Amino acid sequence: MQQPTSGIPKRILMGPGPSNVHPRVLEAMARPTIGHLDPAFIDVMEEIKSLLRYVFRTENEVTFPVSGPGSAGMEMALVNVVEPGDKVIVCRNGVFGGRMLDIVERCGGKPVLVDEEWGRPVDPGKLEDTLKAHSDAAVVAFVHAETSTGALSDAQTLAGIAHRYGCLVVADTVTSLGGVPVHIDDWGIDVSYSGSQKCLSCPPGLSPITFNERAVEKIRHRKTRVQSWFLDLNLVISYWGKAARRTYHHTAPVNAMFGLREALLLIKEEGLENAWRRHRVNHLALCAGLEAMGLQLAVAPEHRIPSLNPVRIPEGVDDSRVRSRLLEEFNLEIGAGLGAMAGKIWRIGLMGYSSSRENVLYCLEALETVLAAEGAPVRKGEARKAAESIWNRDQG
Ligand SMILES: *Cc1c(COP(=O)(O)O)cnc(C)c1O
């Protein structure tokens, strides 16, 4: 008989997600399935909600995982908050801001763009100017960590400006949550969604989301129904709301929830600040190693995302050949450029369980070997030393 997993290789995942999944999470997901209204499952749901409040740094009652990938979270956030005719300021500095725009248009919002050059954070000054010119705007939406370019925006400053103009703030924290400081309550973010497969070390398929009271009020008092039945918060809340009054909405992906609970427990055990710190130090070590090899990072140091490192593809090097060789010869996945960055950068993820010293060293060595074999002008034998000096300094 064939093994149930035959043909599925074991990879080291260092792309823009999914990242590697902690073995404890995989074990948890292999527990026997129970009913999605079983009292034992209700306990699991309550625990997940509470652990998500911990990672989001929020007291928001309405905090739960959407049954769907990060894109479902993005859609849930926007379709609920945006009513037809609402003016929505969409900050776009990469692919994901562009998707927000698409969703806003589809739900009848009137989008106003704050465009920024790719690879740069959203410019708070431009947001402020746009809000001055559109004082009737209802919502400001932006991506905290733009995975397509590797630029981190100043979410706290952007949210502060949006609030001064009376707007609700929707922030995408898909690539930041669990890997980069995110403070939903302190920063005044009204709605935020993330993804299970990036810094939370889970398989793809769930999107943690949180709504504060102000956002929930707006949604409760909508004049029109949310056009998506599945993602209508007013309906979903009957399932994820108060434990005592839980009723069927859809069948939750029970085993995926077992995995998410375990992943969140792992973060709690490590300590959220320690997880942020691990992401930061490993990122600095990787960058030092890449630069020592002679490669260039695509984002200025002060705007880099610790969980996603874009590196310029050297002149004359065949993008897809290098990535195929890394995959075939080293079982290592790194990401290609997306959208306007295709063919120009590689994206090296250091997310969740994938963000380890071991992986940084493995990736540097694999890249050095493949690039040298491809005839690229890399400096050999320097990357490891440069990376190690970062960890040594961190300990000293
Ligand atoms: C990955 C990602 C998404 C989409 O998540 P999926 O799980 O792929 O649907 C949205 N926003 C950002 C910033 C992302 O990195």
Side-chain angles (χ1 to χ4, degrees):
M1 206 179 82
Q2 274 215 326
Q3 289 295 312
T5 51
S6 83
I8 303 172
K10 251 192 174 169
R11 303 288 198 204
I12 295 160
L13 299 177
M14 298 182 72
S19 53
N20 285 119
V21 176
H22 194 288
R24 258 176 60 187
V25 174
L26 292 174
E27 271 168 43
M29 292 177 75
R31 305 306 302 161
T33 301
I34 58 176
H36 68 115
L37 292 168
D38 188 310
F41 189 62
I42 288 172
D43 290 345
V44 172
M45 292 165 78
E46 288 304 304
E47 199 178 346
I48 289 174
K49 283 159 64 179
S50 148
L51 288 163
L52 283 178
R53 288 186 196 109
Y54 169 72
V55 295
F56 271 124
R57 287 276 151 111
T58 183
E59 304 278 315
N60 291 342
E61 180 62 34
V62 183
T63 303
F64 63 94
V66 181
S67 301
S71 305
M74 182 188 285
E75 191 126 12
M76 178 160 220
L78 292 168
V79 300
N80 280 282
V81 157
V82 178
E83 280 203 77
D86 275 354
K87 196 174 261 188
V88 182
I89 314 289
V90 179
C91 304
R92 180 174 64 179
N93 60 337
V95 168
F96 293 102
R99 286 196 182 171
M100 284 178 145
L101 169 69
D102 196 341
I103 296 172
V104 166
E105 286 170 347
R106 284 165 194 248
C107 48
K110 286 198 238 149
V112 178
L113 273 172
V114 176
D115 257 320
E116 190 50 65
E117 197 186 314
W118 288 33
R120 305 233 350 119
V122 175
D123 181 343
K126 281 190 198 165
L127 174 62
E128 176 126 36
D129 290 346
T130 307
L131 282 163
K132 270 184 200 146
H134 298 275
S135 55
D136 55 338
V139 178
V140 168
F142 64 84
V143 178
H144 181 213
E146 198 18 287
T147 323
S148 64
T149 69
L152 188 68
S153 288
D154 181 348
Q156 182 172 24
T157 299
L158 297 175
I161 295 168
H163 283 160
R164 270 196 268 122
Y165 292 83
C167 289
L168 271 182
V169 174
V170 175
D172 176 313
T173 54
V174 176
T175 285
S176 44
L177 190 71
V180 182
V182 169
H183 298 270
I184 295 302
D185 288 358
D186 287 354
W187 292 352
I189 291 167
D190 299 290
V191 184
S192 185
Y193 57 89
S194 190
S196 51
Q197 79 277 27
K198 305 216 178 173
C199 299
L200 302 179
S201 316
C202 256
L206 291 175
S207 174
I209 197 164
T210 186
F211 295 85
N212 68 10
E213 205 38 52
R214 193 163 158 236
V216 172
E217 277 306 297
K218 182 176 197 295
I219 297 163
R220 276 206 194 103
H221 295 108
R222 286 176 61 109
K223 290 183 242 13
T224 54
R225 287 197 300 184
V226 172
Q227 84 278 21
S228 163
W229 177 86
F230 183 62
L231 296 173
D232 184 344
L233 184 70
N234 292 314
L235 302 177
V236 175
I237 212 78
S238 65
Y239 183 59
W240 276 101
K242 296 265 184 297
R245 284 188 268 124
R246 198 150 291 167
T247 57
Y248 171 61
H249 174 264
H250 67 279
T251 310
V254 168
N255 290 58
M257 297 296 177
F258 294 164
L260 180 61
R261 177 178 66 166
E262 199 64 28
L264 294 170
L265 284 170
L266 281 160
I267 295 180
K268 188 100 194 256
E269 285 168 23
E270 181 180 10
L272 187 57
E273 286 90 350
N274 293 334
W276 293 341
R277 190 178 145 82
R278 170 170 53 84
H279 281 83
R280 175 153 184 82
V281 175
N282 290 335
H283 150 77
L284 292 175
L286 178 73
C287 290
L290 293 169
E291 282 175 337
M293 209 187 287
L295 296 173
Q296 281 180 344
L297 292 148
V299 171
E302 65 275 23
H303 304 311
R304 288 177 189 162
I305 306 172
S307 44
L308 199 274
N309 303 272
V311 53
R312 289 191 204 288
I313 301 174
E315 200 74 44
V317 167
D318 186 330
D319 169 19
S320 65
R321 252 182 76 87
V322 169
R323 282 184 294 107
S324 309
R325 287 188 69 166
L326 289 172
L327 195 66
E328 282 157 24
E329 296 164 28
F330 292 89
N331 267 315
L332 173 65
E333 177 179 282
I334 65 166
L338 202 58
M341 307 300 258
K344 297 184 182 149
I345 59 167
W346 289 310
R347 293 178 300 155
I348 305 179
L350 283 173
M351 299 181 177
Y353 188 52
S354 287
S355 175
S356 66
R357 184 181 175 127
E358 193 184 15
N359 280 358
V360 168
L361 292 174
Y362 187 76
C363 175
L364 288 171
E365 187 175 324
L367 203 54
E368 185 175 305
T369 307
V370 170
L371 284 174
E374 290 288 313
V378 284
R379 277 196 294 278
K380 296 194 76 181
E382 297 295 325
R384 186 186 183 98
K385 274 186 275 175
E388 275 172 348
S389 73
I390 298 284
W391 289 308
N392 293 340
R393 194 179 68 194
D394 185 57
Q395 272 153 18

